[in-house]
């Protein structure tokens, strides 16, 4: 099938004679168009003749040179007029069609769910919620099933999810921090104890006392995706979200700290030696240091997270049976609850020395720090004691459920 019905020159569209920039379209491949015939050279004459311009129009071609020029100019002008205004009109119509969204109102600080303290109870299957601004109990969250023993508790501030560890029923309750509703109850390995969350990866790590493992819970799907073997009787656990390392305190006879790579969820050897019966450890993320209270050694082990080595062991000024540790990276202070001496030891992280001892009451256990408000919270008996980090004085005591065992803060 031929492309041209008449002569080849008469059938070539005007568009092919125009430059691509002018036409706005790409010309067909040269191979598909027969090359134009070469004109014979005519003898030179003094009379100049206009070369006729052929246009593919419905009207008959005029032999008059001036008329041909006028037709060609008009066709080109009409072509430009039809293309360019359409582009401008389409953009204008699109701009008229799209409505600019109204700016969303900015939330004030007091409108956000911040500065809330969650306290778990080992005797009651509920969580007590404290407003850090008013320092008052604002509600309790019952857990399911009733009668479960809630030990560890952790919170993801990005997703606003609270994870409560039920030791008797061997599961984890996932709670919506905004509504207090239980979103899921996830089965885990027997006798879970404590938990820690990496808010960057949205993974939750739960220690199992019976199987000597750490379960990895995916916060997006609320499912267990991995179980990592660690040392004997793992209890305390903490996460460094900057390095994506998880640190697990192992009890007798190991008495060391296992390290888990948060990317591959594999154990990194060797373990770091600690004192006897290490407890609830804490991480100084800014300095990449780990502080491990040793319950039966009456000491605190300071470990280097970069080299996975023991830096020093603090004994002077540490009370009897140190149970848990917490760090305020803004003040560079570490707080250790002394279960046997009813006090809190304050450690200067720069000098690794105890700079203050705060009496709080009988058998303090879990301890947590709100860095922004410089408030320290410790759980004991049936209350939560609040300490002013500026003065190292107890400023308030709030009654909670019996035998509080874990504290987490929504900053």
């Amino acid at each position: 099938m031929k492309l041209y019905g008449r002569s080849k020159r008469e059938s070539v569209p005007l568009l092919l004679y125009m430059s691509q920039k002018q036409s706005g379209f790409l010309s067909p491949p040269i191979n598909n168009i027969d090359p134009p015939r070469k004109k014979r050279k005519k003898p030179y004459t003094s009379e100049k003749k206009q070369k006729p311009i052929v246009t593919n129009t419905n009207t008959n071609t005029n032999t008059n040179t001036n008329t041909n020029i006028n037709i060609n100019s008009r066709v080109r002008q009409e072509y430009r007029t039809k293309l360019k205004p359409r582009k401008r009109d389409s953009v204008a119509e699109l701009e008229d069609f799209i409505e600019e969204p109204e700016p969303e109102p900015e939330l004030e600080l007091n409108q956000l769910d911040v500065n809330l303290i969650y306290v778990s109870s080992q005797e009651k299957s509920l969580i007590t919620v404290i407003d850090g601004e008013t320092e008052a109990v604002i509600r309790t969250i019952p857990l399911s099933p009733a009668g479960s023993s809630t030990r560890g508790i952790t919170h993801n501030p990005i997703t606003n999810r609270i994870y409560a560890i039920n030791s008797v029923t061997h599961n984890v309750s996932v709670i919506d921090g905004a509504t207090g509703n239980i979103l899921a109850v996830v089965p885990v390995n027997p006798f879970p104890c404590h938990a820690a969350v990496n808010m960057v990866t949205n993974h939750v790590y739960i220690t199992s006392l019976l199987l000597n493992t750490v379960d990895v819970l995916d916060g997006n799907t609320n499912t267990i995706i991995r179980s990592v073997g660690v040392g004997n009787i793992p209890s305390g656990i903490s996460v460094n979200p900057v390095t994506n390392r998880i640190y697990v305190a192992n009890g007798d006879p190991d008495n060391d700290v296992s390290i888990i790579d948060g990317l591959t969820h594999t154990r990194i050897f060797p373990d770091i030696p600690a004192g006897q019966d290490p407890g609830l450890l804490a991480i100084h993320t800014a300095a990449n240091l780990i502080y491990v209270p040793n319950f039966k050694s009456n000491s605190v082990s300071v470990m280097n997270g970069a080299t996975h080595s023991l830096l020093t062991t603090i004994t002077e000024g540490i009370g009897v049976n140190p149970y848990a540790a917490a760090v305020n990276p803004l003040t560079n202070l570490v707080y250790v609850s002394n279960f046997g001496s009813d006090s809190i030891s304050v450690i200067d992280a720069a000098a690794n020395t105890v700079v203050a001892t705060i009496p709080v009451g009988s058998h303090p256990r879990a301890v947590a720090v709100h860095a922004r408000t410089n408030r320290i919270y410790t759980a004991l008996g049936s209350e939560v004691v609040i300490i002013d980090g500026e003065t190292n004085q107890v400023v308030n005591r709030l009654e909670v459920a019996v035998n509080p065992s874990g504290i987490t803060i929504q900053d």
Side-chain angles (χ1 to χ4, degrees):
M1 176 179 177
K2 292 186 178 181
L3 182 64
Y4 309 101
R6 295 178 295 176
S7 67
K8 296 177 182 177
R9 290 189 59 190
E10 292 179 346
S11 300
V12 176
L14 175 63
L15 189 60
L16 301 181
Y17 288 93
M18 303 171 64
S19 64
Q20 294 179 4
K21 182 177 181 181
Q22 181 179 357
S23 64
F25 299 88
L26 295 177
S27 301
I30 298 299
N31 296 336
N32 294 338
I33 302 175
D34 294 340
R37 298 178 181 177
K38 294 184 179 180
K39 298 180 181 180
R40 294 182 179 180
K41 293 184 178 180
K42 295 182 179 182
Y44 175 79
T45 58
S46 59
E47 183 180 358
K48 295 182 180 180
K49 295 184 179 180
Q50 294 280 350
K51 183 179 178 180
I53 300 177
V54 180
T55 58
N56 188 19
T57 60
N58 295 329
T59 59
N60 296 327
T61 304
N62 196 330
T63 57
N64 185 280
T65 302
N66 295 332
T67 305
N68 288 333
I69 295 174
N70 293 336
I71 292 174
N72 180 62
S73 302
R74 178 172 55 81
V75 171
R76 292 173 184 266
Q77 183 63 32
E78 288 180 356
Y79 182 78
R80 296 190 189 99
T81 305
K82 290 179 180 180
L83 280 183
K84 293 186 178 180
R86 284 180 182 174
K87 292 183 178 180
R88 291 194 296 268
D89 293 343
S90 61
V91 172
E93 291 174 1
L94 184 61
E95 291 177 351
D96 294 339
F97 178 77
I98 298 176
E99 297 181 359
E100 295 184 0
E102 298 181 0
E104 297 181 358
E106 296 183 358
L107 293 176
E108 297 179 359
L109 186 60
N110 57 8
Q111 291 179 288
L112 302 175
D113 289 331
V114 296
N115 201 358
L116 296 179
I117 298 90
Y118 299 92
V119 184
S120 60
S121 171
Q122 192 168 341
E123 301 295 332
K124 300 290 185 178
S125 54
L126 58 82
I127 294 174
T128 303
V129 185
I130 298 172
D131 185 342
E133 297 294 334
T134 61
E135 294 186 351
V137 175
I138 57 176
R139 64 176 172 174
T140 57
I141 302 174
L143 299 180
S144 178
S148 59
S149 176
T150 309
R151 297 192 65 179
I153 187 171
T154 189
H155 173 257
N156 188 334
I158 296 179
T159 62
N160 198 12
R161 297 290 185 265
I162 300 105
Y163 300 89
I165 311 304
N166 307 316
S167 299
V168 174
T169 53
H170 317 303
N171 54 46
V172 177
S173 296
V174 184
I175 304 166
D176 185 351
T179 63
N181 296 330
I182 298 177
L183 303 177
V185 178
V186 184
V188 295
N189 279 334
F191 298 106
C193 187
H194 292 283
V197 64
N198 188 336
M199 60 184 177
V200 178
T201 62
N202 198 14
H203 287 155
V204 186
Y205 301 89
I206 306 107
T207 57
S208 170
L209 296 177
L210 181 63
L211 300 183
N212 300 333
T213 59
V214 171
D215 289 337
V216 184
L217 185 147
D218 186 342
N220 296 314
T221 61
N222 291 328
T223 56
I224 300 298
I225 60 175
R226 192 71 179 266
S227 185
V228 184
V230 289
N232 191 56
I233 314 179
S235 178
I237 185 169
S238 188
V239 174
N240 189 336
V242 178
T243 62
N244 200 11
R245 293 287 188 269
I246 301 94
Y247 299 88
V248 185
N250 305 309
D252 286 331
D254 293 347
N255 297 318
D256 56 19
V257 172
S258 295
I259 309 165
I260 299 175
D261 184 348
L263 180 62
T264 61
H265 291 144
T266 56
R267 185 177 176 182
I268 301 175
F269 291 95
D271 296 338
I272 308 174
Q276 190 174 6
D277 199 7
L280 304 185
L281 67 169
I283 297 178
H284 194 320
T285 54
N288 198 9
L289 297 175
I290 304 99
Y291 295 86
V292 186
N294 302 306
F295 189 81
K296 293 182 180 178
S297 298
N298 299 332
S299 63
V300 173
S301 300
V302 183
M303 303 175 178
N304 189 328
T307 61
H308 297 166
S309 60
L310 178 65
L311 286 181
T312 187
T313 300
I314 304 173
T315 56
E316 186 177 355
I318 301 299
V320 179
N321 302 134
Y323 186 92
V327 178
N328 188 337
L330 300 182
T331 60
N332 205 25
L333 296 175
V334 184
Y335 299 87
V336 179
S337 60
N338 301 308
F339 183 86
S341 56
D342 307 335
S343 63
I344 300 289
S345 296
V346 184
I347 301 173
D348 181 355
N352 286 325
T353 58
V354 176
V355 295
T357 300
I358 308 169
V360 291
S362 179
H363 304 313
R365 301 176 66 185
V367 61
V369 172
H370 195 307
R372 180 171 58 85
T373 62
N374 199 11
R375 283 287 199 265
I376 300 92
Y377 301 85
T378 184
L380 52 91
S382 59
E383 61 183 3
V384 169
V385 176
I386 304 175
I387 301 170
D388 183 356
E390 185 69 25
T391 63
N392 288 331
Q393 299 293 321
V394 174
V395 294
N396 206 344
R397 294 175 181 270
L398 301 177
E399 185 176 354
V400 294
V402 177
N403 202 1
S405 55
I407 302 176
T408 188
I409 296 176
Q410 183 176 352
D411 194 353

